[in-house]
Amino acid sequence: MSQSAITPGGTSSSDADRGETNSERAGLDLDASLGYLLKQAASVLHTAMDAVLRPLGMTITHYACLELLAQRPGLSNSDLARGTFVTRQSMNTLLRAMERDGLVSRPAQPPVGRILPAELTELGHRQLATASAAVKTVELRMRSKLDAEQQSELRHHLRSSIDALTE
Amino acid sequence: MSQSAITPGGTSSSDADRGETNSERAGLDLDASLGYLLKQAASVLHTAMDAVLRPLGMTITHYACLELLAQRPGLSNSDLARGTFVTRQSMNTLLRAMERDGLVSRPAQPPVGRILPAELTELGHRQLATASAAVKTVELRMRSKLDAEQQSELRHHLRSSIDALTE
DNA sequence: GATTCTATGTCAGAATACTGACATGAGTCA
DNA sequence: TGACTCATGTCAGTATTCTGACATAGAATC
């Protein structure tokens, strides 16, 4: 998938510039739109992560699930769904596949209520180690043009945006 | 869909705190991970936009397509795909549906090469006007906790991240 | 002018995530 | 105790997007 956004000068690919004098409308100005920029950033990140994860036979959600379980063993299916920003139905499908593949284990019977706490198997931990290293290079690459303070600012502002949209 | 991420204190929902003393691992620390924060922000934004767009009978990509075409009439299918961060195959499907619904028009024959320049119909413009107003409230809400300078910083840092991951 | 490369539009099939719905277990409150 | 509310796990069906592949038009190279 291409990554180029629509910019005032045209896309980065070879489009024969159907030259438009932009901005002159009631709607959103794409360049000023934080939402658009955010979507673009997320898209670029998605592509970059997919590029390193796919050769390992994993999807991004697959990796995120491993990462979450390593940091917090015993998370439930619903917990994992929230943590990876998908529905619990989607996570259920994924989790079952991962269980089948021996990456994750869950007790046959729920210890309490209906919750089945999931844990990484030895194989799961090994697969995560590989993936984690790959993903870390992407994370570092993404930060490479920001100094420590700028990264801190970015995190802070991102959190503010999330808060504003959440409450 | 729930929006809560996995935070040190547990999710925002009522999970009986399977208390884990976090961070102590080789992998990524979720809180320090820009990537995770970015994904969360994008997810929250997606949900918020979907919430206002769905009642209007539109998806986010649908809206994005309208917005792009209004600002730059004559964009091709591939241009629109790049601008909305989906594949050109996906955009092709959407565009055809929008054409069928009378929101977009394309010439029967390509004026040059294989490119079919798309334009908004009168109905398309009207639908966009409604959607645009709704989306603007989301954009404003997202910015509500950031002053002008902070918004500028956020945009700048986001662009830096995109650049770093793109080149 | 012929060849090569790149971009486009499109068809077909697969993967992924979503919505809707249901029953169950736990907590709340009268 | 019983009614009510909420969260969970899961089944079923749908929607959206993706990957792979193909033919074609224009640009670039020689």
Side-chain angles (χ1 to χ4, degrees):
Chain A
M1 190 201 311
S2 174
Q3 222 40 260
S4 6
I6 298 293
T7 59
T11 73
S12 68
S13 65
S14 69
D15 58 356
D17 236 26
R18 278 163 293 299
E20 292 295 331
T21 41
N22 189 21
S23 65
E24 220 66 56
R25 242 179 39 76
L28 293 173
D29 181 358
L30 280 185
D31 293 320
S33 168
L34 252 181
Y36 189 74
L37 212 49
L38 193 53
K39 185 170 178 176
Q40 183 180 2
S43 172
V44 172
L45 174 61
H46 184 96
T47 301
M49 287 188 62
D50 189 71
V52 300
L53 252 18
R54 180 178 299 270
L56 302 176
M58 295 183 238
T59 67
I60 296 180
T61 308
H62 180 118
Y63 156 74
C65 182
L66 290 176
E67 189 75 53
L68 239 29
L69 276 178
Q71 296 194 17
R72 315 189 128 219
L75 284 184
S76 71
N77 174 55
S78 288
D79 287 334
L80 290 167
R82 276 189 292 271
T84 55
F85 313 108
V86 299
T87 60
R88 64 180 193 278
Q89 292 92 328
S90 296
M91 180 51 68
N92 188 285
T93 303
L94 173 60
L95 209 47
R96 208 171 307 184
M98 294 176 72
E99 209 172 352
R100 163 177 55 80
D101 295 342
L103 302 168
V104 166
S105 69
R106 285 189 292 179
Q109 294 301 320
V112 51
R114 311 195 63 192
I115 297 173
L116 288 174
E119 286 190 12
L120 249 42
T121 63
E122 188 50 46
L123 180 59
H125 275 106
R126 276 203 300 275
Q127 191 183 71
L128 172 58
T130 312
S132 202
V135 168
K136 183 165 277 183
T137 65
V138 174
E139 170 91 11
L140 290 178
R141 195 147 57 88
M142 180 169 66
R143 300 186 196 180
S144 63
K145 294 198 169 185
L146 300 172
D147 61 35
E149 187 186 339
Q150 290 174 319
Q151 290 178 29
S152 171
E153 284 173 355
L154 177 49
R155 259 191 284 277
H156 179 267
H157 297 341
L158 239 26
R159 242 185 279 272
S160 294
S161 301
I162 293 169
D163 288 348
L165 241 31
T166 304
E167 57 193 30
Chain B
M1 190 201 311
S2 173
Q3 221 42 258
S4 4
I6 297 293
T7 59
T11 72
S12 68
S13 66
S14 69
D15 58 355
D17 235 25
R18 277 164 294 297
E20 292 295 330
T21 41
N22 191 24
S23 66
E24 218 69 54
R25 240 179 40 76
L28 293 173
D29 182 358
L30 281 186
D31 294 320
S33 166
L34 253 181
Y36 190 73
L37 212 48
L38 193 53
K39 184 170 179 178
Q40 184 180 2
S43 171
V44 172
L45 175 61
H46 184 97
T47 300
M49 287 188 64
D50 189 71
V52 300
L53 252 20
R54 180 178 298 271
L56 303 176
M58 294 183 238
T59 67
I60 296 180
T61 308
H62 180 118
Y63 157 73
C65 181
L66 289 177
E67 189 75 51
L68 239 30
L69 276 179
Q71 295 193 18
R72 315 188 126 220
L75 284 184
S76 71
N77 175 54
S78 288
D79 287 334
L80 290 167
R82 276 189 292 270
T84 55
F85 314 108
V86 299
T87 61
R88 64 181 192 279
Q89 293 91 329
S90 296
M91 181 50 69
N92 189 286
T93 303
L94 173 60
L95 209 48
R96 206 170 307 184
M98 293 176 72
E99 208 171 354
R100 164 177 53 81
D101 296 343
L103 301 167
V104 167
S105 70
R106 285 189 292 181
Q109 294 300 322
V112 50
R114 311 196 63 194
I115 296 173
L116 288 173
E119 287 190 12
L120 250 41
T121 63
E122 188 50 46
L123 180 59
H125 275 106
R126 276 203 299 276
Q127 191 182 72
L128 172 58
T130 312
S132 202
V135 169
K136 184 165 275 184
T137 66
V138 175
E139 171 91 11
L140 290 179
R141 194 145 60 86
M142 181 168 65
R143 300 187 195 180
S144 63
K145 294 197 169 186
L146 301 172
D147 61 35
E149 187 186 338
Q150 290 175 320
Q151 289 178 31
S152 171
E153 285 173 354
L154 178 50
R155 258 190 285 276
H156 179 268
H157 297 341
L158 240 24
R159 243 186 279 271
S160 294
S161 301
I162 293 170
D163 287 348
L165 241 31
T166 304
E167 57 192 31

